[in-house]
Amino acid sequence: MAKLNFEFRKRLDAIIDGDHHNYCYQCGACVADCPAARYSPDFNPRQIMLLALLGQEEALIGENSPIWLCTNCYTCYERCPQDVRPIEVIIALKNIASGGKRAPGILEQIQKSVNEQGRTVAWSPLVDRRRKELGLEPVKPVPVEEIQKLLEE
Amino acid sequence: MRYAPFYGCMISLKYPQFEAAVRKTCPALGMELVDLEGFSCCPDPIYFKAGDKMIWLTLAARNLCIAEEAGLDIITMCSGCTATLSEAHHILEEDPGLRDEVNIRLKKVGKEYKGEISVRHIVTVLRDDVGLEKVAASVTRPLDDLVVAIHYGCHLLKPSKIMRVDDPNQPTILEDLTRLVGATPVVHSENLLCCGKACISDEMPAEMTRDILDGIAQVNADCMGLICPTCFDEFDLGQLRLSRRFHRKFNIPVVYYFQLLGLAQGLSPRDMGLHMHKIKVHPLLEKLGLPTA
């Protein structure tokens, strides 16, 4: 049996809504309507909350972590009688994985896009041509320097 | 009725036909949309938020500040932007500690979040501010005989205590709005299933989307009606991917609610950008007796 890892739980507690994992009493209400659980035997939000309570860092943010299968649908948030907000705990776990460079590449791509352009969808001349065809003005510029200042720690 | 529209990245850059549909249908509803300068990405509630929630909250708060400075409520038409901006607004209202921390960060760009405006999804503005009668009164060409399979998408409804749009288990708002344009909404067997777009897997979203489309095929709808550009991406372009993956033809036209409203207000399919969709909408235009070019 793995040892409880309180240090990892403290890191989770420090992130917005990460501390809500402490309220979980393992009822399983989050599982019944979870689409990821319906489509994948590898995903079970109740199990993820249990791993969080045990502070199982490797299982939660390691290479084979199931957290990336979450579809972000918020049904678990809706169903939970304890206000655990499993989806928000999972996003908090993703923050830890991202901080430790253990997240899928798409996270860094999106961060780079927001950092450099202030947007997640890249602008190209085609964008404004299609907008013009619809009678729309070109896309408004984003003050990227302001965004970059806010991204600095 | 003046509002600050927040179109977001997906709609402004990838699916501008939805922006055109909103802009062209709102005047007849008595809504004035005031374009503000300086908005960035909401930011993205999936991958950007997964990177760092505190930075996500700070950038969202910056967008809220821009509307606050103009004294206007934000209206959103992308469910992702709604998720981010409504949740950020909720957190900043409920958690004074986080609000202070965000404001320390915003000071670097000369902004301060005060909490003076609201974030509203545009469908709630139609229902609660404009009123359903007035939406119906804007219709000059009812879309008789058109059968629309409604798909809600997740972030319009959940978490319901933050979104406050409709009952997340038995929503009716999109059916109600669809009836107003003269069309017949139908409920399909997977109408509340997630499109899966936000899941980092190829297989799961493909199976979810397939099951939703199969549910729609059983109710003989002319098209799928939705309100979320991310769902649209998964169902429009997505059907081409699905046809390849499952070796069978998926071919259900997908329409954004405001495009239906525009057609019913007498605007042309071209005005609504319907020719930009990957799954051709010709069958439904023919049924409505509208030009397909």
Side-chain angles (χ1 to χ4, degrees):
Chain A
M1 177 104 187
K3 257 181 87 176
L4 256 169
N5 182 346
F6 287 105
E7 186 274 329
F8 185 78
R9 286 183 61 180
K10 278 189 190 135
R11 277 159 65 199
L12 184 55
D13 286 346
I15 298 169
I16 299 173
D17 282 347
D19 55 329
H20 281 238
H21 82 277
N22 292 292
Y23 309 149
C24 179
Y25 54 32
Q26 291 285 293
C27 72
C30 53
V31 184
D33 287 331
C34 170
R38 171 176 160 188
Y39 284 86
S40 170
D42 298 330
F43 190 87
N44 181 317
R46 186 190 64 82
Q47 189 67 25
I48 293 171
M49 292 310 108
L50 179 60
L51 289 169
L53 287 165
L54 297 171
Q56 295 300 296
E57 178 168 3
E58 200 50 36
L60 288 165
I61 64 166
E63 206 174 327
N64 297 314
S65 167
I67 60 174
W68 308 102
L69 292 174
C70 171
T71 66
N72 291 261
C73 75
Y74 279 85
T75 306
C76 57
Y77 190 123
E78 204 64 46
R79 298 284 181 268
C80 179
Q82 279 288 96
D83 198 27
V84 170
R85 310 177 185 176
I87 164 74
E88 292 292 351
V89 174
I90 288 170
I91 298 172
L93 289 165
K94 290 177 177 177
N95 282 190
I96 298 177
S98 175
K101 304 274 175 221
R102 304 187 80 180
I106 182 148
L107 266 73
E108 213 178 306
Q109 279 170 41
I110 293 286
Q111 281 160 23
K112 190 167 176 279
S113 176
V114 173
N115 193 354
E116 290 173 1
Q117 307 180 44
R119 299 189 176 105
T120 49
V121 180
W123 180 89
S124 76
L126 178 69
V127 168
D128 285 339
R129 277 210 300 279
R130 294 180 75 208
R131 291 179 59 86
K132 195 176 174 188
E133 190 189 331
L134 293 159
L136 300 173
E137 300 283 322
V139 172
K140 283 184 181 292
V142 178
V144 178
E145 62 297 340
E146 267 192 39
I147 304 301
Q148 287 169 351
K149 269 189 204 162
L150 293 173
L151 291 172
E152 289 162 9
E153 275 303 318
Chain B
M1 290 186 284
R2 297 173 84 231
Y3 306 92
F6 191 97
Y7 295 104
C9 304
M10 281 283 276
I11 290 184
S12 304
L13 287 101
K14 208 168 176 187
Y15 299 119
Q17 63 267 39
F18 303 164
E19 181 178 332
V22 168
R23 284 184 187 277
K24 291 171 190 176
T25 52
C26 283
L29 306 177
M31 291 168 66
E32 187 188 344
L33 305 180
V34 182
D35 288 315
L36 301 181
E37 301 289 333
F39 284 139
S40 68
C41 177
C42 56
D44 160 43
I46 310 296
Y47 303 119
F48 194 82
K49 187 179 177 185
D52 188 319
K53 285 198 196 193
M54 196 60 209
I55 294 176
W56 165 82
L57 181 63
T58 306
L59 294 192
R62 181 189 162 279
N63 284 323
L64 297 175
C65 288
I66 291 170
E68 252 181 23
E69 286 158 14
L72 294 170
D73 282 350
I74 285 182
I75 52 171
T76 52
M77 24 248 134
C78 161
S79 302
C81 295
T82 310
T84 282
L85 296 176
S86 294
E87 195 197 339
H89 184 271
H90 180 82
I91 293 172
L92 295 168
E93 292 301 307
E94 300 280 304
D95 192 329
L98 276 174
R99 184 202 282 220
D100 290 346
E101 208 179 323
V102 163
N103 274 331
I104 289 167
R105 291 171 181 234
L106 288 175
K107 215 171 178 177
K108 287 198 276 189
V109 295
K111 295 206 181 301
E112 184 191 359
Y113 176 83
K114 300 191 186 76
E116 294 168 350
I117 57 139
S118 307
V119 177
R120 319 263 311 273
H121 191 284
I122 191 165
V123 295
T124 67
V125 172
L126 263 55
R127 181 188 60 194
D128 303 332
D129 293 10
V130 175
L132 299 183
E133 300 79 18
K134 195 163 179 187
V135 178
S138 77
V139 171
T140 56
R141 181 174 60 196
L143 310 181
D144 293 332
D145 304 326
L146 191 74
V147 180
V148 183
I150 302 296
H151 202 76
Y152 275 90
C154 301
H155 298 151
L156 174 69
L157 302 170
K158 297 174 285 189
S160 56
K161 76 167 185 186
I162 296 176
M163 298 306 151
R164 293 182 297 181
V165 170
D166 205 349
D167 179 340
N169 302 314
Q170 288 180 302
T172 60
I173 189 165
L174 294 184
E175 277 91 349
D176 295 342
L177 289 172
T178 300
R179 269 184 217 104
L180 300 180
V181 301
T184 306
V186 283
V187 177
H188 64 92
S189 59
E190 298 288 3
N191 72 326
L192 295 178
L193 178 59
C194 179
C195 74
K197 177 77 179 171
C199 161
I200 302 185
S201 146
D202 290 335
E203 201 177 342
M204 264 171 51
E207 290 176 1
M208 290 176 181
T209 316
R210 174 200 63 198
D211 291 351
I212 291 166
L213 290 163
D214 285 345
I216 292 172
Q218 284 166 14
V219 294
N220 294 316
D222 295 303
C223 64
M224 179 172 194
L226 45 69
I227 197 69
C228 170
T230 299
C231 290
F232 178 82
D233 197 75
E234 195 62 11
F235 290 112
D236 188 51
L237 180 63
Q239 285 188 71
L240 304 183
R241 287 195 297 265
L242 280 190
S243 296
R244 277 200 303 275
R245 187 181 194 102
F246 295 111
H247 308 291
R248 59 188 174 98
K249 182 85 171 160
F250 290 87
N251 196 32
I252 296 173
V254 189
V255 185
Y256 184 72
Y257 176 72
F258 284 83
Q259 294 176 306
L260 290 177
L261 180 59
L263 293 180
Q265 286 182 357
L267 295 161
S268 75
R270 197 154 264 278
D271 279 335
M272 295 295 99
L274 284 162
H275 58 291
M276 293 176 170
H277 295 201
K278 298 287 181 206
I279 302 298
K280 294 299 164 211
V281 299
H282 293 176
L284 70 105
L285 295 180
E286 278 162 17
K287 188 168 184 180
L288 294 169
L290 294 171
T292 53

Coordinates of all heavy atoms in Angstrom, one line a residue, chain B residues 126-195:
Chain B
L126 N -32.1 37.2 -24.8 CA -33.3 37.1 -25.6 C -34.6 36.8 -24.8 O -35.6 37.3 -24.9 CB -33.1 36.0 -26.7 CG -32.7 36.5 -28.1 CD1 -31.4 37.4 -28.0 CD2 -32.5 35.4 -29.1
R127 N -34.4 35.8 -23.9 CA -35.5 35.4 -23.0 C -35.9 36.4 -22.0 O -37.1 36.7 -21.8 CB -35.1 34.1 -22.3 CG -36.2 33.5 -21.4 CD -35.7 32.3 -20.6 NE -34.6 32.7 -19.7 CZ -33.8 31.9 -19.1 NH1 -34.0 30.6 -19.3 NH2 -32.9 32.3 -18.3
D128 N -34.9 37.0 -21.3 CA -35.2 37.8 -20.1 C -35.2 39.3 -20.3 O -35.9 40.0 -19.6 CB -34.2 37.5 -19.0 CG -34.1 36.0 -18.6 OD1 -35.2 35.3 -18.8 OD2 -33.1 35.5 -18.2
D129 N -34.5 39.8 -21.3 CA -34.5 41.3 -21.5 C -35.4 41.6 -22.7 O -36.2 42.5 -22.7 CB -33.1 41.8 -21.8 CG -32.2 41.7 -20.6 OD1 -32.6 41.0 -19.6 OD2 -31.1 42.2 -20.6
V130 N -35.1 41.0 -23.9 CA -35.8 41.3 -25.1 C -37.3 40.7 -24.9 O -38.2 41.4 -25.2 CB -35.2 40.6 -26.3 CG1 -36.0 40.8 -27.6 CG2 -33.8 41.2 -26.5
G131 N -37.4 39.5 -24.5 CA -38.7 38.9 -24.3 C -39.0 38.0 -25.5 O -38.7 38.4 -26.6
L132 N -39.6 36.9 -25.2 CA -39.9 35.9 -26.3 C -40.9 36.5 -27.3 O -40.7 36.2 -28.5 CB -40.4 34.6 -25.8 CG -39.4 33.8 -24.8 CD1 -40.0 32.5 -24.4 CD2 -38.1 33.6 -25.4
E133 N -41.8 37.3 -26.9 CA -42.8 37.9 -27.8 C -42.1 38.8 -28.8 O -42.4 38.8 -30.0 CB -43.8 38.8 -27.1 CG -44.6 38.0 -26.0 CD -43.9 37.8 -24.7 OE1 -42.9 38.5 -24.5 OE2 -44.3 36.9 -23.9
K134 N -41.1 39.5 -28.4 CA -40.4 40.4 -29.3 C -39.5 39.7 -30.3 O -39.4 40.1 -31.4 CB -39.6 41.5 -28.5 CG -39.2 42.6 -29.4 CD -38.7 43.8 -28.6 CE -38.3 45.0 -29.5 NZ -37.7 46.1 -28.8
V135 N -39.0 38.6 -29.8 CA -38.2 37.8 -30.7 C -39.1 37.2 -31.8 O -38.8 37.3 -33.0 CB -37.5 36.6 -30.0 CG1 -36.7 35.7 -31.0 CG2 -36.5 37.1 -28.9
A136 N -40.3 36.7 -31.4 CA -41.3 36.2 -32.4 C -41.7 37.3 -33.3 O -41.9 37.1 -34.5 CB -42.5 35.6 -31.6
A137 N -41.9 38.5 -32.8 CA -42.4 39.6 -33.6 C -41.3 40.0 -34.7 O -41.7 40.7 -35.7 CB -42.7 40.8 -32.7
S138 N -40.1 39.7 -34.5 CA -39.0 40.0 -35.5 C -39.0 39.1 -36.7 O -38.4 39.3 -37.7 CB -37.6 40.1 -34.8 OG -37.2 38.7 -34.6
V139 N -39.8 38.0 -36.6 CA -39.8 37.0 -37.6 C -40.8 37.4 -38.7 O -41.9 37.7 -38.5 CB -40.3 35.6 -37.0 CG1 -40.5 34.6 -38.1 CG2 -39.2 35.1 -36.1
T140 N -40.2 37.5 -40.0 CA -41.1 37.8 -41.1 C -41.3 36.7 -42.1 O -42.1 36.7 -42.9 CB -40.4 39.0 -41.9 OG1 -39.1 38.6 -42.3 CG2 -40.3 40.3 -41.1
R141 N -40.4 35.6 -41.9 CA -40.5 34.5 -42.8 C -40.3 33.2 -41.9 O -39.2 32.7 -41.8 CB -39.4 34.6 -43.8 CG -39.3 33.4 -44.8 CD -38.3 33.7 -45.9 NE -36.9 33.8 -45.4 CZ -35.9 34.3 -46.0 NH1 -36.0 34.8 -47.3 NH2 -34.7 34.4 -45.5
P142 N -41.4 32.8 -41.3 CA -41.3 31.6 -40.4 C -40.7 30.4 -41.1 O -41.0 30.1 -42.3 CB -42.7 31.3 -40.0 CG -43.5 32.5 -40.4 CD -42.8 33.2 -41.5
L143 N -39.9 29.6 -40.4 CA -39.2 28.5 -41.0 C -40.1 27.2 -40.9 O -39.8 26.2 -40.2 CB -37.8 28.2 -40.3 CG -36.9 29.5 -40.2 CD1 -35.6 29.1 -39.6 CD2 -36.7 30.1 -41.6
D144 N -41.3 27.3 -41.5 CA -42.3 26.3 -41.4 C -41.7 24.9 -41.8 O -41.0 24.9 -42.8 CB -43.5 26.6 -42.2 CG -44.3 27.8 -41.7 OD1 -44.2 28.0 -40.4 OD2 -44.9 28.5 -42.4
D145 N -42.1 23.9 -41.2 CA -41.8 22.5 -41.5 C -40.3 22.1 -41.2 O -39.9 21.0 -41.5 CB -42.1 22.2 -43.0 CG -43.5 22.5 -43.4 OD1 -44.4 22.3 -42.5 OD2 -43.8 22.9 -44.5
L146 N -39.5 23.1 -40.8 CA -38.1 22.7 -40.5 C -38.0 22.0 -39.2 O -38.5 22.6 -38.2 CB -37.2 24.0 -40.5 CG -35.7 23.7 -40.5 CD1 -35.3 23.3 -41.9 CD2 -35.0 25.0 -40.2
V147 N -37.4 20.9 -39.2 CA -37.3 20.1 -37.9 C -35.8 20.2 -37.5 O -34.9 19.9 -38.2 CB -37.7 18.6 -38.1 CG1 -37.5 17.8 -36.8 CG2 -39.1 18.5 -38.7
V148 N -35.6 20.7 -36.3 CA -34.3 21.0 -35.7 C -34.0 20.2 -34.5 O -34.7 20.2 -33.5 CB -34.2 22.5 -35.4 CG1 -32.8 22.8 -34.9 CG2 -34.6 23.4 -36.5
A149 N -33.0 19.4 -34.6 CA -32.6 18.6 -33.4 C -31.7 19.4 -32.5 O -30.6 19.8 -33.0 CB -31.8 17.3 -33.9
I150 N -32.1 19.8 -31.4 CA -31.4 20.7 -30.5 C -30.3 20.0 -29.8 O -30.4 18.9 -29.3 CB -32.4 21.2 -29.4 CG1 -33.5 22.0 -30.0 CG2 -31.6 22.1 -28.4 CD1 -33.2 23.2 -30.8
H151 N -29.1 20.6 -29.8 CA -28.0 20.1 -29.0 C -27.5 21.2 -28.1 O -27.1 22.3 -28.6 CB -26.9 19.5 -29.8 CG -26.0 18.6 -29.0 ND1 -26.5 17.3 -28.7 CD2 -24.9 18.7 -28.4 CE1 -25.6 16.7 -28.0 NE2 -24.6 17.6 -27.7
Y152 N -27.5 21.0 -26.8 CA -27.2 22.1 -25.8 C -25.8 22.4 -25.7 O -25.4 23.6 -25.5 CB -27.9 21.8 -24.5 CG -29.3 22.2 -24.4 CD1 -30.3 21.4 -24.8 CD2 -29.7 23.5 -24.1 CE1 -31.7 21.8 -24.8 CE2 -31.0 24.0 -24.1 CZ -32.0 23.1 -24.5 OH -33.3 23.5 -24.5
G153 N -24.9 21.4 -25.6 CA -23.5 21.6 -25.2 C -23.5 21.8 -23.7 O -24.5 22.1 -23.1
C154 N -22.3 21.6 -23.2 CA -22.2 21.5 -21.7 C -22.1 22.9 -21.0 O -22.8 23.1 -20.0 CB -21.0 20.7 -21.3 SG -21.0 19.0 -21.9
H155 N -21.3 23.8 -21.6 CA -21.0 25.0 -20.8 C -22.0 26.0 -20.8 O -22.0 27.0 -20.0 CB -19.6 25.5 -21.2 CG -18.5 24.5 -21.0 ND1 -17.4 24.5 -21.8 CD2 -18.4 23.5 -20.1 CE1 -16.6 23.5 -21.3 NE2 -17.2 22.9 -20.3
L156 N -23.0 25.9 -21.7 CA -24.2 26.8 -21.6 C -24.9 26.6 -20.3 O -25.4 27.5 -19.7 CB -25.1 26.5 -22.8 CG -26.4 27.3 -22.8 CD1 -26.2 28.8 -23.0 CD2 -27.4 26.8 -23.8
L157 N -24.9 25.4 -19.8 CA -25.8 25.0 -18.7 C -25.1 24.7 -17.3 O -25.7 24.9 -16.3 CB -26.6 23.7 -19.0 CG -27.5 23.8 -20.3 CD1 -28.0 22.4 -20.7 CD2 -28.6 24.8 -20.1
K158 N -23.9 24.2 -17.4 CA -23.2 23.7 -16.2 C -21.9 24.5 -16.0 O -21.2 24.7 -16.9 CB -23.0 22.2 -16.3 CG -24.2 21.4 -16.4 CD -23.9 19.9 -16.7 CE -23.5 19.7 -18.1 NZ -23.4 18.3 -18.5
P159 N -21.6 24.7 -14.7 CA -22.4 24.5 -13.5 C -23.5 25.5 -13.4 O -23.3 26.7 -13.5 CB -21.4 24.7 -12.3 CG -20.2 25.4 -12.9 CD -20.2 25.3 -14.4
S160 N -24.7 24.9 -13.1 CA -25.9 25.7 -13.2 C -26.0 26.9 -12.2 O -26.5 27.9 -12.5 CB -27.2 24.9 -13.1 OG -27.1 24.1 -11.9
K161 N -25.3 26.7 -11.1 CA -25.4 27.8 -10.1 C -24.6 29.0 -10.5 O -24.8 30.1 -10.1 CB -25.0 27.3 -8.7 CG -23.5 27.1 -8.5 CD -23.2 26.9 -7.0 CE -21.7 26.8 -6.8 NZ -21.2 26.5 -5.5
I162 N -23.6 28.7 -11.4 CA -22.8 29.9 -11.9 C -23.4 30.4 -13.3 O -23.6 31.6 -13.5 CB -21.4 29.4 -12.1 CG1 -20.7 29.1 -10.8 CG2 -20.6 30.5 -12.9 CD1 -19.3 28.6 -10.8
M163 N -23.8 29.4 -14.1 CA -24.3 29.8 -15.5 C -25.7 30.5 -15.4 O -26.0 31.4 -16.1 CB -24.3 28.6 -16.4 CG -23.0 28.1 -16.7 SD -21.8 29.3 -17.2 CE -20.3 28.6 -16.6
R164 N -26.6 29.9 -14.5 CA -27.9 30.4 -14.3 C -28.7 30.7 -15.7 O -29.2 31.7 -15.9 CB -27.9 31.7 -13.5 CG -27.5 31.4 -12.1 CD -27.5 32.6 -11.2 NE -26.5 33.6 -11.6 CZ -26.3 34.7 -11.0 NH1 -27.0 35.1 -10.0 NH2 -25.4 35.6 -11.5
V165 N -28.6 29.7 -16.5 CA -29.2 29.8 -17.8 C -30.5 29.0 -17.9 O -31.6 29.5 -18.3 CB -28.3 29.3 -19.0 CG1 -29.0 29.2 -20.3 CG2 -27.1 30.3 -19.1
D166 N -30.5 27.8 -17.4 CA -31.7 26.9 -17.4 C -31.4 25.7 -16.6 O -30.3 25.5 -16.1 CB -31.9 26.5 -18.9 CG -33.4 26.1 -19.2 OD1 -34.2 26.0 -18.2 OD2 -33.7 26.0 -20.4
D167 N -32.5 24.9 -16.4 CA -32.4 23.6 -15.7 C -31.4 22.7 -16.5 O -31.6 22.4 -17.6 CB -33.7 23.0 -15.6 CG -33.7 21.6 -14.9 OD1 -32.6 21.0 -14.8 OD2 -34.8 21.2 -14.5
P168 N -30.3 22.3 -15.8 CA -29.2 21.6 -16.6 C -29.7 20.2 -17.0 O -29.1 19.5 -17.9 CB -28.0 21.5 -15.7 CG -28.6 21.6 -14.3 CD -29.8 22.5 -14.4
N169 N -30.7 19.6 -16.3 CA -31.2 18.3 -16.6 C -32.4 18.3 -17.6 O -32.5 17.3 -18.3 CB -31.6 17.6 -15.3 CG -30.5 17.5 -14.3 OD1 -29.4 17.2 -14.6 ND2 -30.8 17.9 -13.1
Q170 N -33.2 19.3 -17.5 CA -34.3 19.4 -18.5 C -34.4 20.8 -19.1 O -35.4 21.5 -18.8 CB -35.6 19.0 -17.8 CG -35.7 17.5 -17.5 CD -36.9 17.1 -16.8 OE1 -37.3 17.6 -15.7 NE2 -37.7 16.2 -17.4
P171 N -33.4 21.2 -19.8 CA -33.4 22.5 -20.3 C -34.5 22.7 -21.4 O -34.8 21.7 -22.1 CB -32.0 22.7 -20.9 CG -31.6 21.3 -21.3 CD -32.2 20.4 -20.3
T172 N -35.0 23.9 -21.6 CA -36.0 24.1 -22.7 C -35.6 25.4 -23.5 O -36.3 25.6 -24.5 CB -37.4 24.3 -22.1 OG1 -37.4 25.4 -21.2 CG2 -37.9 23.1 -21.4
I173 N -34.7 26.1 -23.0 CA -34.5 27.5 -23.6 C -34.2 27.4 -25.1 O -34.8 28.2 -25.9 CB -33.4 28.3 -22.9 CG1 -33.3 29.7 -23.4 CG2 -32.0 27.6 -23.0 CD1 -32.6 30.6 -22.5
L174 N -33.4 26.4 -25.6 CA -33.2 26.4 -27.1 C -34.4 25.9 -27.8 O -34.7 26.4 -29.0 CB -31.9 25.5 -27.4 CG -30.6 26.1 -26.9 CD1 -29.4 25.2 -27.3 CD2 -30.3 27.5 -27.3
E175 N -35.2 25.0 -27.2 CA -36.4 24.6 -27.9 C -37.4 25.8 -28.0 O -38.0 26.0 -29.0 CB -37.1 23.4 -27.1 CG -36.6 22.0 -27.4 CD -35.4 21.7 -26.4 OE1 -34.9 22.5 -25.7 OE2 -35.0 20.5 -26.5
D176 N -37.5 26.5 -26.9 CA -38.4 27.7 -26.9 C -38.0 28.7 -27.9 O -38.8 29.2 -28.7 CB -38.3 28.4 -25.5 CG -38.9 27.4 -24.4 OD1 -39.6 26.5 -24.7 OD2 -38.6 27.7 -23.2
L177 N -36.7 29.0 -28.0 CA -36.2 30.0 -29.0 C -36.4 29.5 -30.4 O -36.7 30.2 -31.4 CB -34.8 30.3 -28.8 CG -34.5 31.2 -27.5 CD1 -33.0 31.3 -27.2 CD2 -35.2 32.5 -27.6
T178 N -36.3 28.1 -30.6 CA -36.4 27.6 -31.9 C -37.9 27.6 -32.4 O -38.1 27.9 -33.6 CB -35.9 26.1 -32.0 OG1 -34.5 26.2 -31.6 CG2 -36.0 25.4 -33.3
R179 N -38.8 27.4 -31.5 CA -40.2 27.5 -31.9 C -40.6 28.9 -32.3 O -41.4 29.1 -33.2 CB -41.1 27.1 -30.7 CG -41.5 25.7 -30.6 CD -42.4 25.3 -29.5 NE -42.0 24.1 -28.9 CZ -41.4 23.9 -27.8 NH1 -41.1 24.9 -27.0 NH2 -41.0 22.7 -27.4
L180 N -39.9 29.9 -31.8 CA -40.2 31.3 -32.1 C -39.9 31.6 -33.6 O -40.5 32.5 -34.2 CB -39.4 32.3 -31.3 CG -39.7 32.2 -29.8 CD1 -38.8 33.3 -29.1 CD2 -41.1 32.4 -29.5
V181 N -39.0 30.9 -34.2 CA -38.6 31.1 -35.6 C -39.5 30.3 -36.5 O -39.3 30.2 -37.7 CB -37.1 30.9 -35.9 CG1 -36.3 31.8 -35.1 CG2 -36.7 29.5 -35.8
G182 N -40.5 29.6 -36.0 CA -41.4 28.8 -36.8 C -41.0 27.4 -37.0 O -41.7 26.6 -37.6
A183 N -39.8 27.0 -36.5 CA -39.3 25.6 -36.7 C -39.8 24.7 -35.6 O -40.4 25.2 -34.6 CB -37.8 25.6 -36.8
T184 N -39.7 23.4 -35.8 CA -40.1 22.4 -34.8 C -38.8 21.8 -34.2 O -38.1 21.1 -34.8 CB -40.9 21.3 -35.5 OG1 -42.0 21.9 -36.2 CG2 -41.4 20.3 -34.5
P185 N -38.6 22.1 -32.9 CA -37.5 21.5 -32.2 C -37.8 20.1 -31.9 O -38.9 19.8 -31.5 CB -37.3 22.4 -31.0 CG -38.7 22.9 -30.7 CD -39.4 23.0 -32.0
V186 N -36.8 19.2 -32.0 CA -37.0 17.8 -31.5 C -35.9 17.5 -30.5 O -34.7 17.9 -30.7 CB -37.0 16.8 -32.6 CG1 -38.4 16.8 -33.3 CG2 -35.9 16.9 -33.6
V187 N -36.2 16.6 -29.5 CA -35.3 16.2 -28.6 C -34.7 14.8 -29.1 O -35.5 14.0 -29.4 CB -35.9 16.0 -27.2 CG1 -34.9 15.4 -26.2 CG2 -36.5 17.3 -26.7
H188 N -33.4 14.7 -29.1 CA -32.9 13.4 -29.6 C -32.3 12.7 -28.3 O -32.1 13.3 -27.3 CB -31.8 13.6 -30.7 CG -30.6 14.4 -30.3 ND1 -29.5 13.8 -29.8 CD2 -30.3 15.7 -30.2 CE1 -28.6 14.7 -29.5 NE2 -29.0 15.9 -29.8
S189 N -32.0 11.4 -28.5 CA -31.7 10.6 -27.4 C -30.4 11.0 -26.6 O -30.3 10.7 -25.5 CB -31.6 9.1 -27.8 OG -30.6 9.0 -28.8
E190 N -29.5 11.7 -27.3 CA -28.2 12.1 -26.6 C -28.1 13.6 -26.5 O -27.0 14.1 -26.7 CB -27.0 11.5 -27.4 CG -27.0 10.0 -27.4 CD -26.7 9.3 -26.1 OE1 -26.5 10.0 -25.1 OE2 -26.6 8.1 -26.1
N191 N -29.3 14.3 -26.3 CA -29.2 15.7 -26.4 C -28.4 16.4 -25.4 O -28.1 17.6 -25.6 CB -30.7 16.3 -26.5 CG -31.3 16.2 -25.1 OD1 -31.1 15.3 -24.4 ND2 -32.2 17.2 -24.8
L192 N -28.1 15.7 -24.3 CA -27.3 16.4 -23.3 C -25.8 15.8 -23.2 O -25.1 16.1 -22.3 CB -27.9 16.3 -21.9 CG -29.3 17.1 -21.8 CD1 -29.9 16.9 -20.4 CD2 -29.1 18.6 -22.1
L193 N -25.5 14.9 -24.1 CA -24.2 14.3 -24.1 C -23.1 15.3 -24.6 O -23.3 16.0 -25.5 CB -24.2 13.0 -25.0 CG -22.8 12.3 -25.1 CD1 -22.3 11.9 -23.7 CD2 -22.9 11.1 -26.0
C194 N -22.0 15.3 -23.9 CA -20.9 16.2 -24.2 C -20.4 15.8 -25.7 O -20.4 14.6 -26.0 CB -19.8 15.9 -23.2 SG -18.3 16.8 -23.4
C195 N -19.9 16.8 -26.4 CA -19.4 16.5 -27.7 C -18.0 15.9 -27.6 O -17.4 15.4 -28.6 CB -19.3 17.8 -28.6 SG -18.0 19.0 -28.1

